[in-house]
Amino acid sequence: MLETLRKHHYILMLFTAIVVCVAFVFFGDTGSMNGNNPDAKPFATVDGQDYYHNELVQIDSQRGLVMRLLDPANQMAQFTDPLAFYVNTLGGNPMMRRPAIVQRYGRSGRDDIDFDFCMNVATIRAEAKKLGVEVDRADLGKFVQTVGGFQTNGQFDPAKYEAFLAGGALGDRANTERRLYTTLRDIMLFQRMNKLIGGTLAPSP
């Protein structure tokens, strides 16, 4: 018996390695199976719509994206730009001395996201859908030309727009374009809902 094991120990070692690898593939991700994966269950629900952690992270990333879209030559843009107003209204306390858009992004509240901002955006999406408030591609095409970061001397600059899409800051061009227009759509929904109800939208308590 021992002689047989000595002769075939390489084969046995290979067999053991295969068994271990197969077991790891099927059973190794115990975190997901035990519910430790943050995306395994909804993180929040707004009007019946479940939002998972990764979806809230995507919404929260709009704050940093808006910062990139402001006109760098306008030092007051963080206070006066319509895009900054969107972030500051939904994610920050308007009574604070510094707007939310320039606060340091750190771990606070739930996980590492601005939960109030995410829930306010999700609520606006839900209410806009109920009220039939929509934003189409043509609307977005006009709106993107008003973005401060895409302008030169007050006029839309296609070169800046193209440089932003091709810059790679938000991934490849397709992902950057998707995230850009998702953010602009949410901003336009906010503006239209704000106008519809008479400018009374305010941050959640």
Side-chain angles (χ1 to χ4, degrees):
M1 179 66 177
L2 293 176
E3 185 65 24
T4 301
L5 289 175
R6 279 196 294 269
K7 289 182 178 179
H8 302 288
H9 72 282
Y10 290 111
I11 296 176
L12 291 174
M13 291 174 62
L14 177 61
F15 176 77
T16 301
I18 293 174
V19 170
V20 171
C21 289
V22 170
F24 181 80
V25 168
F26 281 97
F27 305 109
D29 191 10
T30 56
S32 296
M33 295 177 65
N34 293 331
N36 294 329
N37 183 349
D39 290 328
K41 58 183 179 180
F43 200 70
T45 301
V46 176
D47 199 34
Q49 173 69 47
D50 290 336
Y51 282 87
Y52 292 82
H53 181 264
N54 64 316
E55 294 175 308
L56 295 182
V57 169
Q58 286 293 312
I59 294 176
D60 185 68
S61 69
Q62 292 185 3
R63 298 185 299 139
L65 174 55
V66 164
M67 193 69 173
R68 293 176 178 273
L69 297 176
L70 300 182
D71 182 0
N74 182 2
Q75 296 183 356
M76 295 300 295
Q78 61 186 341
F79 299 97
T80 61
D81 191 284
L83 275 63
F85 179 73
Y86 162 76
V87 171
N88 294 333
T89 301
L90 299 186
N93 185 337
M95 299 302 294
M96 295 178 67
R97 295 179 61 186
R98 300 181 69 206
I101 196 170
V102 295
Q103 290 177 24
R104 183 175 182 179
Y105 301 151
R107 297 182 64 87
S108 61
R110 304 194 187 197
D111 202 3
D112 56 350
I113 61 177
D114 184 333
F115 192 72
D116 283 345
F117 175 76
C118 295
M119 290 297 93
N120 283 329
V121 172
T123 299
I124 288 175
R125 290 177 178 178
E127 293 303 315
K129 184 176 181 180
K130 285 181 183 178
L131 297 174
V133 177
E134 299 178 351
V135 175
D136 59 31
R137 188 72 182 185
D139 295 328
L140 289 172
K142 295 177 182 177
F143 187 52
V144 74
Q145 296 186 36
T146 69
V147 172
F150 299 151
Q151 293 191 346
T152 299
N153 298 324
Q155 299 293 323
F156 176 63
D157 188 338
K160 289 185 176 180
Y161 172 75
E162 288 297 325
F164 177 83
L165 294 182
L170 303 177
D172 60 24
R173 183 186 177 93
N175 186 57
T176 299
E177 186 173 23
R178 177 184 60 80
R179 290 177 60 183
L180 169 64
Y181 282 98
T182 295
T183 299
L184 294 183
R185 177 182 180 275
D186 284 334
I187 293 172
M188 292 194 72
L189 286 177
F190 164 74
Q191 291 175 340
R192 292 181 177 185
M193 289 292 291
N194 199 27
K195 183 177 180 180
L196 182 65
I197 63 177
T200 58
L201 284 178
S204 60

